[in-house]
């Protein structure tokens, strides 16, 4: 990595950036509004959508800002009448094919169309073949896909499992799970990264289908599975978790999630959840009781054993799934209230 | 010095780039580990063009010798012929010529290995079952600094029009979806596996060999014309640059049945668009064709007699471009599709301001030549056959 | 982890041993994938040809339980070829001689024979690890769940000390924690010998600090480890058991033995979000707790980062947060505790742990902090041992091979090793309730090498019975070349076929971690 500085001219002003800085990043750092669709910071620049074209002196035609690095002495214009017209026309081309999905997902394509104040496109291409899949996590609305390849690139570059492909060419080109199989039958690990990278909501979470994303509240917390500690946002609606998302640039996960972290939250509201204290009766079965009864039974049970066999005849086992505060309290209970150091967890690592 | 002898010769693959500049550029590049690369683009796919296939059947040794000379002059140690997969007869001739050149000491033993370049998933390509592209740059025996003897192998193309675009061709050779790369860097700087790469068309190497061997001393004075369509004797003919289409047709093609019956013609492959009979006396040269709005392209001259309508020819070309768009960039993918639909009447034309904007977006916004030259077909229709388009 | 997760992508040589990272820590593995894409070298030591192993520059497909010979032989090569970091060893370590002597006895050829790998691959791996400036070691339960788990870790630490791959960015010895808060659970003193913050309970001044804060005298007697508790159930010495969020009846080894123990306990409390095997069969009281989405608090991840957990939804029915339940019980047992406010409890414990003192809720609202963080202005510690090992000098250990507790023999000829899959988590109490995951992986399976399958007449998808000396479970056969002949692999997630019915009593002699990774088994096809 070079720390050399490059001086170039952007929109009439000289600007200094690190060598290797893309024109897109340079434009953004200066506050220049350059529209993008296929670009995602976590992915290598693609340059396919052509929304971020900028003018470069000496180049035969505009260049994609995402895919062009600043170099010494360049003269670049991020806006002009011609650029505005070309970008707007390309957006119009997209809208000739794109059919926004229903279901409340944010759609960058529609936003771009609005930004260029587009009316009805001059041509409407036919609908694509619908895609049905029996996996329960990831849905695909083919007509909303704009072939930006973000999902394909996410799967190739970040997950490196190549479970999605840009298939065919020309009017028949589509994105699909590799070889047209079900998501369940490819090398797909159901991480849902493709969903998170889709700008139009073409790829979507089946579990959250139809839920207006803007109507959800989000609570930032930490994933409950492995020890990586991914920072997640629990999206809730009417008191229920409906989706898990993660923000780029945040936490050890930098916006990435695995299949468990993103999709396996049903247990939270599962009907098997314990909702009342239970006490084993004389019949040997567990029966629901009030908290007071349950607490009394715990106190009685622990006290009796302590009295008869001593504090060290009681053992405590904490879970590595609970919070620091929970497990701190448990060992404090063992040590300071019961009076034993018999406290352990399933700590193997 | 020797490279300068090529001055005047222009690439015969369509773009017409001066050959000596390209060769010099590669010669001037530093040699990386892995060496420099020569690629012969034999993925002849431009409709109306058949001279490369003809050459590979008739004179494969000369084409290969041209590559071998190029390697010696730019300092390349490995070379590949990227061959259109339908060219099975040509493949046989190439293989024969390679083994002769190995025997004669021009090419290194082992030359002639084969692999299949990548194509588009979902598009069936009929070709023998050769290995997939190597995962990494294959090791070759250490070669002398001169590049002698040169290692020369064959890659069968991915079976799509865009594979003939030089950077898409490189992607195909490396085993990826054949989508054109963004330039710069140019292949001369960073081509196959990131190595400096000299890529020329079959005919270009053939001319280079003839020039450098002293057989031809006026580089660029002649071309191989592919003459087809409604002429008496279609074929590949060597003729001067600057010959008129009329003369080409009458002197070489045996004439058209009836000159009054010509509906339209194509001067340099499908991408050069459609011209009216009134232009038949235009000189087939870069300058002459520029006057009528187009270029010499691949020198593929196609003659259409009535009742074929110019708009039918243009529609077929636009349909071809729409189908063959690699679908990487939006203006090419959707622009060609729209013009194909409009010109063929599947959809009604919008107002002319809209078509003008769409043509401009394709010209300025596409990644490669397929996208930014396709509008020429529409513009030529607007100029010469305005009644048929908007 | 001595180093941070984000640093992994800057590492130039990754030595992954006993970790199927892409399945057990998928998001952390993305950093490894990023490093690989950049061209980092990858060495994988694993009995299975995992996703990473398939892409490794060197895959050391060792026999389970032979990590010490392998790593000692790597160290042998490093010393023999003079690749060690002489200055680092000289200035910052001790006990080098014992280490040099021990590894001197492990030339690669000797290890190769025991491990079942090529001696040349051991050499290549040693050279790659030692000669790359940014080399990191990543391990998980494949290293620790052995009778010699602690010694396994010591050999890895030896390797890092000998090459000076410690105390800088993108290096280190990095255990990847299996559960969201294993790190925190240890940090918080859920350990029979440590008070919170790794302060030995046996030391009087430590106890004094806690006694003062808690207002009660503390026992100096070290407590029982989990495995010892299980044993004392049998002897009648452990009469009551309070289990919070665990299911020993699926997670402990040799389950038949555990079950018998539980039968003898007078009183069992289970505090959990679901009924589980333990509570269903043995609990006298079951207390419904809240899950992570229903409470506030903190988790500490593998890289020692304390991060905020926040309540997003209400708990079902009358379920209560664990902290509240414990506080209520303490109160009823006569203790004077603070009300159950997580922040107050965090402050209470942070005040008592010098390494955590600077971490407070107001500082981790946006981004978590990594301990050590001794004061309120400290930015936290991306990596440990900067400049010098924390204790002054890094200690080398001379370690010798310890064979597994149980090895295959004529009667039980196959070596079974167990592990996790991507699609389930531990006892699968949560993941088995996700239909979408169950679609991907429905029931128990056992991976069998093609040659073994042929010999046994087992075909892919066939239901087989896996038997050890302690029990038997059913599994669907998955015939795969991921394994070498003689070795089989089974996940530990499925309650209908608990892998731990099979596992044995081997445990690390120092910390009691069970040897889940090596069990001798035999196979029977079903119904025969």
């Amino acid at each position: 990595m070079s720390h050399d500085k490059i001086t170039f001219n952007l929109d009439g002003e000289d600007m200094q950036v690190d060598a290797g800085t893309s024109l897109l990043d340079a434009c953004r750092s200066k506050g220049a509004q350059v529209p993008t669709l296929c670009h995602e910071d976590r992915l290598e620049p693609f340059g396919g959508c052509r929304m971020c074209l900028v003018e470069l002196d000496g180049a035969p035609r505009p260049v994609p800002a995402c895919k062009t690095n600043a170099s010494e002495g360049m003269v670049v214009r991020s806006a002009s009448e011609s650029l505005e017209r070309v970008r707007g026309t390309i957006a119009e081309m997209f809208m000739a094919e794109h059919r926004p999905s229903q279901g409340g997902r944010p759609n960058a394509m529609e936003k771009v169309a609005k930004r260029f104040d587009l009316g009805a496109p001059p041509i409407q291409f036919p609908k694509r073949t619908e895609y049905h899949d029996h996996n329960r996590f990831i849905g695909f609305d083919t007509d909303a896909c704009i072939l930006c390849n973000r999902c394909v690139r996410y799967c190739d570059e970040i997950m490196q499992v190549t479970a999605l492909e840009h298939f065919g060419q020309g009017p028949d080109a589509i994105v699909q799970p590799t070889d047209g199989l079900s998501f369940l039958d490819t090398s797909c690990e159901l991480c849902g990264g493709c969903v998170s990278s889709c700008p139009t909501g073409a790829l979507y979470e089946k579990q959250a289908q139809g839920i207006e994303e803007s109507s959800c509240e989000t609570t930032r917390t930490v994933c409950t599975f492995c020890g990586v500690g991914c920072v997640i946002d629990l999206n809730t609606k009417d008191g229920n978790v409906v989706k898990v998302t993660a923000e780029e640039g945040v936490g050890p996960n930098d916006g990435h999630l695995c299949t468990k972290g993103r999709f396996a939250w049903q247990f939270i509201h599962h009907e098997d959840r314990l909702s009342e204290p239970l006490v084993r009766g004389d019949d040997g079965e567990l029966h629901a009781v009030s908290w007071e009864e349950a607490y009394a039974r715990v106190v009685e049970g622990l006290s009796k054993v302590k009295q008869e066999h001593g504090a060290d005849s009681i053992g405590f086992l904490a879970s590595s799934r609970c919070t620091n505060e929970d497990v701190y309290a448990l060992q404090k209970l063992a040590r300071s209230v019961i009076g034993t150091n018999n406290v352990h967890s399933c700590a193997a690592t | 010095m020797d490279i300068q002898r090529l001055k005047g010769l222009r690439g015969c693959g369509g773009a017409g780039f001066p050959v000596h500049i390209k060769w010099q550029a590669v010669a001037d590049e530093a040699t990386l580990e892995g060496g420099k690369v020569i690629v012969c683009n034999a993925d002849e796919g431009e409709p109306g063009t058949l001279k490369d296939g003809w050459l590979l059947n008739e004179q494969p040794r000369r084409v290969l010798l041209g590559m071998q000379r190029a390697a010696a002059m730019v300092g390349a140690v490995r070379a590949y012929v990227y061959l259109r997969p339908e060219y099975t007869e040509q493949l046989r001739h190439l293989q024969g010529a390679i083994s002769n050149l190995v025997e004669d000491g021009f090419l290194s033993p082992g030359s002639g290995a084969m692999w299949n370049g990548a194509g588009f998933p979902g598009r069936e390509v009929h070709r023998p079952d050769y290995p997939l592209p190597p995962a990494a740059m294959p090791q070759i025996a250490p070669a002398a600094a001169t590049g002698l003897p040169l290692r020369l192998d064959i890659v069968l193309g991915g079976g799509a029009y865009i594979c003939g675009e030089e950077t898409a061709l490189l992607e195909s050779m490396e085993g990826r979806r054949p989508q054109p790369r963004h330039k710069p860097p140019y292949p001369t700087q960073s081509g196959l596996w990131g190595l400096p790469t000299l890529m020329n068309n079959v005919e270009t190497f053939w001319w280079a060999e003839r020039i450098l061997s002293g057989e031809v001393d006026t580089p660029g004075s002649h071309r191989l014309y592919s003459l087809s369509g409604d002429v008496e004797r279609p074929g590949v003919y060597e003729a001067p640059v600057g010959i008129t289409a009329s003369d080409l047709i009458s002197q070489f093609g045996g004439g058209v049945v009836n000159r009054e019956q010509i509906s339209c013609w194509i001067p340099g492959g499908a991408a050069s668009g459609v011209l009216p009979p009134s232009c038949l006396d235009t000189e087939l040269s870069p300058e002459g064709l520029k006057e009528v709005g187009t270029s010499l392209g691949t020198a593929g001259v196609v003659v259409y007699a009535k009742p074929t309508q110019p708009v039918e020819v243009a529609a077929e070309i636009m349909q071809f471009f729409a189908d063959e768009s690699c679908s990487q960039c939006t203006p090419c993918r959707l622009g060609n599709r729209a013009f194909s639909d409009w010109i063929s009447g599947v959809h009604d034309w919008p107002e002319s301001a809209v078509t003008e904007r769409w043509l401009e977006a394709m010209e300025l916004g596409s990644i490669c030549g397929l996208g930014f030259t396709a509008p020429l077909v529409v513009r030529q229709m607007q100029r010469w056959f305005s009644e048929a388009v908007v | 982890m001595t180093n941070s997760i984000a640093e992994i992508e800057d590492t130039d040589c990754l030595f992954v041993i006993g970790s199927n990272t892409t399945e057990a820590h998928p998001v952390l593995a993305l950093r490894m994938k990023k490093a690989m894409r950049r061209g980092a070298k990858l060495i994988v030591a694993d009995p299975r040809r995992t996703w990473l192993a398939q892409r490794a520059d060197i895959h050391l497909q060792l026999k389970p339980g032979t990590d010490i010979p392998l790593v000692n032989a790597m160290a042998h090569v490093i010393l023999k070829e003079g690749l060690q970091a002489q200055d680092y060893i000289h200035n910052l370590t001790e006990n080098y001689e014992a280490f040099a002597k021990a590894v001197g006895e492990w030339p690669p050829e000797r290890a190769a024979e025991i491990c079942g790998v090529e001696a040349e691959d051991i050499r290549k791996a040693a050279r790659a690890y030692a000669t790359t400036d940014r080399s990191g070691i990543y391990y998980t339960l494949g290293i620790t769940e052995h009778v010699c788990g602690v010694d396994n870790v010591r050999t890895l630490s030896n390797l890092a000390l000998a090459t000076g791959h410690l105390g800088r960015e993108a290096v280190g010895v990095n255990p990847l924690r299996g559960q969201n808060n294993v790190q925190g659970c240890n940090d918080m003193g859920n350990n029979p010998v440590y008070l919170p913050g790794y302060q030995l309970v046996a030391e009087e001044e430590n106890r004094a600090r806690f006694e003062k804060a808690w207002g009660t005298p503390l026992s100096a007697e070290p407590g029982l480890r989990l495995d010892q508790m299980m044993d004392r159930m049998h002897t009648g010495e452990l009469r009551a058991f309070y289990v919070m969020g665990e299911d020993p009846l699926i997670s402990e080894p040799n389950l038949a033995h555990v079950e018998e123990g539980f039968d003898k306990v007078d009183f069992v409390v289970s505090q959990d979000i679901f009924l589980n095997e333990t509570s269903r069969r043995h609990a006298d009281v079951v207390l419904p707790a809240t899950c992570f989405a229903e409470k506030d608090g903190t988790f500490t991840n593998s890289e020692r980062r304390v991060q905020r957990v926040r309540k997003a939804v209400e708990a079902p029915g009358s379920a209560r947060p664990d902290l509240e339940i414990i506080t209520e019980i303490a109160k009823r047992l006569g203790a004077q505790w603070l009300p159950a406010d997580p922040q107050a409890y965090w402050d209470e414990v942070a005040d008592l742990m010098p390494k955590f003192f600077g971490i407070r809720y107001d500082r981790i609202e946006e981004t978590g902090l990594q301990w050590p963080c001794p004061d309120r202005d400290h930015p936290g510690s991306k990596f440990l041992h900067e400049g010098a090992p924390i204790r002054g000098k890094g200690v080398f250990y001379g370690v010798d091979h310890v064979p597994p507790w149980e090895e295959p023999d004529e009667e039980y000829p196959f070596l079974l090793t167990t592990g996790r899959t991507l699609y389930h988590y531990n006892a699968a109490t949560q993941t088995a309730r996700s239909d979408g995951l169950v679609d991907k992986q429905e029931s128990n399976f056992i991976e069998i090498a093609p040659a073994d399958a042929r010999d046994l007449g087992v075909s892919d998808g066939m239901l087989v019975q896996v038997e050890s000396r302690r029990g038997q479970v059913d599994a669907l056969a998955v015939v795969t070349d991921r394994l070498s002949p003689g070795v089989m692999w089974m996940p530990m997630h499925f309650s209908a076929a608990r892998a731990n019915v099979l596992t044995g009593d081997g445990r690390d002699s120092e910390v009691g971690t069970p040897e889940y990774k090596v069990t001798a088994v035999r196979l029977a096809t079903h119904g025969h």
Side-chain angles (χ1 to χ4, degrees), chain B residues 146-166:
Chain B
T146 57
L148 288 173
L150 178 70
R151 169 70 188 241
L152 192 150
D153 295 331
I154 301 173
V155 182
L156 280 194
Y161 178 60
I162 200 65
C163 293
E165 195 282 338
E166 58 177 359

Side-chain angles (χ1 to χ4, degrees), chain C residues 27 68 72 76 90 177 181 269 327 360 369 392 475 487 502 524:
Chain C
V27 177
I68 293 172
N72 270 355
H76 179 100
H90 180 76
R177 304 293 191 179
N181 204 32
V269 182
T327 313
R360 302 292 162 150
L369 278 169
V487 180
L502 306 172

Side-chain angles (χ1 to χ4, degrees), chain A residues 37-299:
Chain A
L37 284 169
C38 71
H39 186 73
E40 187 181 335
D41 286 333
R42 297 179 297 187
L43 303 173
E44 284 171 18
F46 183 61
C49 77
R50 316 305 281 177
M51 293 306 298
C52 71
L53 292 174
V54 294
E55 288 171 354
L56 168 63
D57 275 8
R61 53 186 66 80
V63 297
C66 66
K67 189 90 178 170
T68 311
N69 286 350
S71 68
E72 194 64 38
M74 265 185 177
V75 177
V76 178
R77 280 171 304 282
S78 71
S80 73
E81 219 174 279
S82 153
L83 283 177
E84 183 71 8
R85 197 170 56 241
V86 169
R87 291 171 184 163
T89 304
I90 294 171
E92 191 174 59
M93 291 177 168
F94 272 124
M95 292 307 285
E97 174 185 58
H98 172 70
R99 290 177 170 81
S101 342
Q102 308 304 310
R105 303 187 281 281
N107 185 346
M109 188 65 246
E110 277 185 310
K111 275 190 203 143
V112 166
K114 210 167 279 172
R115 142 100 171 67
F116 288 101
D117 203 18
L118 299 180
I123 186 168
Q124 186 80 61
F125 296 120
K127 285 172 81 74
R128 293 196 174 109
T129 311
E130 285 181 23
Y131 179 82
H132 297 285
D133 189 39
H134 57 290
N135 93 80
R136 295 174 213 236
F137 292 154
I138 302 171
F140 184 27
D141 178 352
T142 49
D143 280 316
C145 173
I146 57 168
L147 254 77
C148 69
N149 267 265
R150 273 160 72 162
C151 54
V152 175
R153 290 181 288 139
Y154 187 97
C155 205
D156 279 353
E157 295 172 23
I158 295 182
M159 281 302 285
Q160 298 180 18
V161 300
T162 315
L164 290 168
E165 65 180 350
H166 178 178
F167 182 85
Q169 61 181 123
D172 304 325
I174 49 164
V175 162
Q176 65 174 19
T178 305
D179 299 332
L181 299 168
S182 159
F183 281 89
L184 293 175
D185 299 325
T186 64
S187 52
C188 174
E189 296 183 0
L190 298 174
C191 76
C194 52
V195 174
S196 77
S197 68
C198 181
T200 64
L203 283 158
Y204 61 90
E205 285 192 28
K206 288 186 173 175
Q207 296 175 148
Q209 192 175 9
I211 296 172
E212 195 78 38
E213 187 169 283
S214 54
S215 73
C216 293
E217 282 178 52
T218 61
T219 305
R220 180 147 299 178
T221 185
V222 179
C223 177
T224 186
F225 291 107
C226 81
V228 174
C230 295
V231 174
I232 59 173
D233 291 324
L234 291 175
N235 292 230
T236 54
K237 188 173 167 68
D238 304 329
N240 287 313
V241 175
V242 294
K243 181 156 91 164
V244 173
T245 51
E247 189 182 325
E248 213 179 303
V250 175
N253 49 318
D254 190 16
H256 305 296
L257 290 173
C258 75
T259 186
K260 296 187 286 282
R262 191 186 303 277
F263 294 120
W265 46 262
Q266 289 78 2
F267 76 89
I268 298 172
H269 303 299
H270 199 277
E271 58 182 11
D272 293 348
R273 279 288 301 274
L274 286 166
S275 59
E276 299 168 291
L278 306 173
V279 161
R280 199 170 296 276
D282 296 334
D283 57 357
E285 300 296 320
L286 290 165
H287 299 281
V289 296
S290 72
W291 274 101
E292 278 315 314
E293 281 173 77
Y295 283 142
R297 185 73 182 271
V298 172
V299 168

Side-chain angles (χ1 to χ4, degrees), chain B residues 51-173:
Chain B
K51 38 102 183 172
D52 293 338
W54 179 83
L55 266 182
L56 291 173
N57 276 337
E58 302 296 324
Q59 304 195 20
R61 184 181 172 95
R62 276 183 149 173
V63 175
L64 296 175
L65 281 173
M67 293 173 69
Q68 192 270 332
R69 276 185 197 273
M73 289 165 77
V74 305
V77 295
R78 57 176 90 214
Y80 301 93
V81 177
Y82 184 90
L83 184 69
R84 184 181 167 123
E86 291 89 342
Y87 280 178
T88 46
E89 199 186 331
Q90 285 86 344
L91 174 60
R92 230 177 40 245
H93 289 123
L94 257 182
Q95 286 171 326
I98 289 173
S99 45
N100 288 340
L101 285 168
V102 170
E103 278 171 32
D104 298 347
F106 287 99
L107 297 178
S108 75
S111 288
M114 302 278 314
W115 80 74
N116 281 340
F120 290 100
R123 179 168 181 158
E124 234 172 89
V125 185
H126 296 286
R127 54 186 178 183
D129 197 14
Y130 292 114
L132 296 173
M137 181 170 69
Q139 293 297 311
I140 54 168
T146 57
L148 288 173
L150 178 70
R151 169 70 188 241
L152 192 150
D153 295 331
I154 301 173
V155 182
L156 280 194
Y161 178 60
I162 200 65
C163 293
E165 195 282 338
E166 58 177 359
T167 55
L169 185 158
L170 294 173
E171 291 288 295
S172 165
M173 283 184 74

